[in-house]
Amino acid sequence: MSALPIAAHGDPAEAGASQAVKAQLRLREMVLAGELPGGARIAEVAISEQLGVSRTPVRSALMRLEQEGLLESLPNGGYAVRTFSERDVSDSIELRGTLEGLSARLAAERGVSPVVLREARACLQRIDELLREPALDDAAFSRYVAFNGQFHALLSELSGSVVIAKQLERITNLPFASPSGFVVVQANSPAARDMLLIAQDQHRQVLDAIESREGSRAEALMREHSRLAQRNLREALHGAHDHPLPGVQLIRRRS
């Protein structure tokens, strides 16, 4: 009779993946908090010792952060913390607005899935519930950011274009280019809720335009929607804040 295999107490591959994710999250936090300043070279061995993990998950985390755009690979090997010009970030936001506008126009022209459209409207309903309060605390603001990201993802899905969806995913993964990349700037602003109400009105208008098959209007609305992010970028860099946006120190301001 052949021996039965002995059950393993945990999958080594799964444990390794978990370590890599933890390393990635901690490294991202260190970069955005300024613990690893812009231009600093990342010492793999030192990071491994600091995080208390082997070099393998750290190496994986470094590769992921390069893909996200927070790090850049060096010619002689290794990585350094990337910095961005104000124009770089502005161009990324502009490109996202262009792609989202195209996605909205195609959704209107081609017609959309009623199921996804209902999901998008339900998402906006949850945002409406948050905005009924006269002010948003940190927990409510975090929920807003999550719902806002979900709505933009559903808008991308409405177009039915895998090509555009993939390009949008690449752009929104760039630092500061996501739909909520600078929305946190509004959290401590006296006009925070007013700005979120404007954004929410644009959300509803673009869904109405898509449902009414008004392609040009849907596209123009999404292009205009990205202007709010441009405004928040300028406010983050040139305004006075008691609680600066995480990672804003990586952006080189225009003189």
Side-chain angles (χ1 to χ4, degrees):
M1 180 182 295
S2 60
L4 292 174
I6 298 174
H9 295 286
D11 185 343
E14 184 177 331
S18 175
Q19 288 291 316
V21 170
K22 289 179 181 177
Q24 179 184 337
L25 293 175
R26 178 63 183 124
L27 271 173
R28 185 191 294 119
E29 181 183 300
M30 292 168 69
V31 170
L32 294 179
E35 294 177 42
L36 296 171
R41 181 171 182 139
I42 306 296
E44 192 176 293
V45 174
I47 292 294
S48 297
E49 293 174 354
Q50 186 173 350
L51 300 185
V53 297
S54 70
R55 293 174 65 178
T56 300
V58 168
R59 195 173 296 121
S60 174
L62 291 171
M63 291 174 63
R64 281 294 303 155
L65 290 184
E66 183 195 17
Q67 292 168 0
E68 290 181 15
L70 281 175
L71 303 181
E72 58 184 347
S73 57
L74 299 173
N76 297 324
Y79 297 90
V81 177
R82 188 178 170 193
T83 60
F84 310 85
S85 70
E86 185 174 343
R87 177 169 290 176
D88 289 339
V89 179
S90 178
D91 288 351
S92 294
I93 294 170
E94 183 71 21
L95 182 54
R96 174 173 61 79
T98 300
L99 285 172
E100 286 191 321
L102 174 59
S103 183
R105 177 167 65 80
L106 292 180
E109 292 174 353
R110 295 172 175 176
V112 297
S113 161
V115 174
V116 181
L117 190 63
R118 282 198 299 272
E119 289 180 12
R121 291 204 180 279
C123 186
L124 292 188
Q125 181 61 36
R126 289 190 283 271
I127 294 177
D128 280 341
E129 291 168 5
L130 288 174
L131 296 181
R132 287 195 186 104
E133 297 298 325
L136 275 67
D137 59 20
D138 289 344
F141 206 84
S142 294
R143 290 198 297 276
Y144 173 86
V145 168
F147 291 143
N148 185 53
Q150 180 186 359
F151 176 77
H152 280 259
L154 288 167
L155 271 185
S156 175
E157 188 176 343
L158 282 172
S159 73
S161 172
V162 175
V163 173
I164 295 175
K166 284 184 177 179
Q167 295 306 313
L168 267 172
E169 184 179 6
R170 288 181 62 189
I171 289 298
T172 55
N173 280 336
L174 292 175
F176 316 110
S178 75
S180 299
F182 283 96
V183 75
V184 71
V185 173
Q186 299 165 346
N188 299 305
S189 165
R193 188 170 165 278
D194 292 343
M195 291 296 294
L196 296 181
L197 287 170
I198 291 171
Q200 178 72 341
D201 182 60
Q202 291 175 337
H203 288 160
R204 290 208 171 277
Q205 286 190 59
V206 75
L207 274 193
D208 289 343
I210 289 172
E211 195 168 22
S212 301
R213 310 295 288 269
E214 299 176 274
S216 296
R217 179 167 174 259
E219 181 171 23
L221 282 164
M222 288 311 296
R223 292 294 300 273
E224 183 62 29
H225 189 60
S226 71
R227 295 290 186 270
L228 292 178
Q230 297 282 11
R231 174 175 173 173
N232 286 337
L233 166 63
R234 293 191 295 271
E235 178 67 17
L237 293 180
H238 304 289
H241 298 286
D242 294 331
H243 304 286
L245 180 72
V248 75
Q249 75 280 352
L250 299 177
I251 303 176
R252 302 187 301 276
R253 294 163 175 77
R254 288 173 180 161
S255 58

